[in-house]
Amino acid sequence: MNDPANATATWSTPVPTGASGRSRRVGVEIEFMGPSARDAAAAVARALGGSVFVEDPHAFRILGTCLGDMRVETDLRYVHPQRHPGLGLRLDRRAAAWLGAVVSPFVPRELVTAPLPIDRLPELDDLVDVLRAAGAHGRGAVLLDSLGLHFNIDPPRLDAATVAAFLKAFLIMSERLRQETARGSKRLAHVLPPEFPQDYVRQVLAPDYWPDLPDLTADYLAANPTRDRALDLLPLLAYLDDDRVRSVLPREKIGARPAFHYRLPQVHLSDLEWSIMPDWHRWLMVERLASDTDRLCAIGKAMAA
């Protein structure tokens, strides 16, 4: 007989409590091809309960499911003009609806969950099955971009030392994570987010690199003025110091929130054996290393040399 406590330990974090004092949570984003945002939202509501509310012809909220609130939308800002008033090209609602229909064969839909208790993560594979049954598919990439599985993870604390420790751990594990995500495919490797600049990696991995928040933020922005990183710290840094981030990236689409935005994994809905859990287990390697300061510094010193 399986021991539920031991099973939970396989996906739980080394530090279970977050900065808020409650159990840490994680939000998940799943990109897919196939059904429209409307049809996918309706399928989720039928399977998991909840009510669907229309934001625009290509964006829908699903409130009150058994897995919490969600939204499903076409992953293109131009088809949601009411939400992005600062876009250089601003379409009216009719033109935006038309554009969304035209690009639907090429642009993914995205399902985004509200933050869930980490011990409920395995239940999201039921949500994957619902999407598959509705016709959702994908094999890790679409055209020249990745078909993403993103995790938005509560940090255990919101101080500079914690952020630096996770960043160091991620940079140490990065090559292994990229290899396992690409599955040996050059095509899948090609569409992964660009690697962090090597000069920045050496700077961060230096044993004495434990900056305060303003310096950590300034260094990150100088080396990575983009959301296109496998560990995107911009949402977290914007939450902690929005003025500094916006002064460098005034037009970038950054949703400030207290979360590590892990955006390396890829979605493979066309693989009937695919699950979100192996990618979560890979993230836990980062968590375990980040929580072991002595090992973190020793490995970082060797790699930065």
Side-chain angles (χ1 to χ4, degrees), residues 214-285:
D215 285 345
L216 176 66
T217 304
D219 291 343
Y220 185 89
L221 291 171
N224 309 282
T226 175
R227 294 185 302 127
D228 200 11
R229 291 288 184 265
L231 179 60
D232 172 20
L233 290 185
L234 291 178
L236 176 58
L237 296 178
Y239 177 83
L240 296 172
D241 193 349
D242 189 64
D243 289 344
R244 189 179 299 269
V245 172
R246 300 295 178 184
S247 70
V248 176
L249 298 169
R251 297 185 179 277
E252 189 65 85
K253 177 190 172 187
I254 304 169
R257 56 194 182 273
F260 293 117
H261 188 198
Y262 176 42
R263 54 187 306 276
L264 179 67
Q266 298 171 335
V267 173
H268 293 266
L269 284 176
S270 295
D271 176 358
L272 297 182
E273 300 299 316
W274 181 81
S275 158
I276 72 166
M277 294 310 294
D279 286 299
W280 177 250
H281 292 152
R282 282 189 273 273
W283 169 259
L284 290 179
M285 294 190 298

Side-chain angles (χ1 to χ4, degrees), residues 26 37 44 73 91 97 99 110 116 127 137 147 170 178 186 189 212 216 219 224 230 237 239 241 247 253 280 286 288:
V26 56
V44 170
E73 61 188 44
L91 304 177
L99 177 63
E110 179 180 48
L116 289 164
L127 181 58
H137 58 87
L147 200 58
F170 186 84
R178 295 176 75 87
K186 290 183 179 180
D212 59 18
L216 176 66
D219 291 343
N224 309 282
L237 296 178
Y239 177 83
D241 193 349
S247 70
K253 177 190 172 187
W280 177 250
V286 176
R288 287 190 283 269

Side-chain angles (χ1 to χ4, degrees), residues 119-185:
D119 62 6
R120 298 199 68 186
L121 264 180
E123 297 178 52
L124 290 187
D125 279 335
D126 295 334
L127 181 58
V128 167
D129 290 338
V130 170
L131 293 174
R132 282 198 188 104
H137 58 87
R139 294 190 179 277
V142 55
L143 291 180
L144 301 177
D145 201 1
S146 190
L147 200 58
L149 170 68
H150 300 174
F151 294 98
N152 294 290
I153 306 144
D154 281 348
R157 289 173 298 279
L158 293 174
D159 58 279
T162 297
V163 179
F166 271 77
L167 179 57
K168 286 171 179 279
F170 186 84
L171 294 176
I172 290 169
M173 298 299 306
S174 178
E175 184 58 31
R176 176 176 175 179
L177 295 172
R178 295 176 75 87
Q179 289 177 357
E180 294 187 7
T181 299
R183 301 181 168 194
S185 165

Side-chain angles (χ1 to χ4, degrees), residues 1 53 70 101 194:
M1 179 181 296
F53 295 88
M70 305 179 189

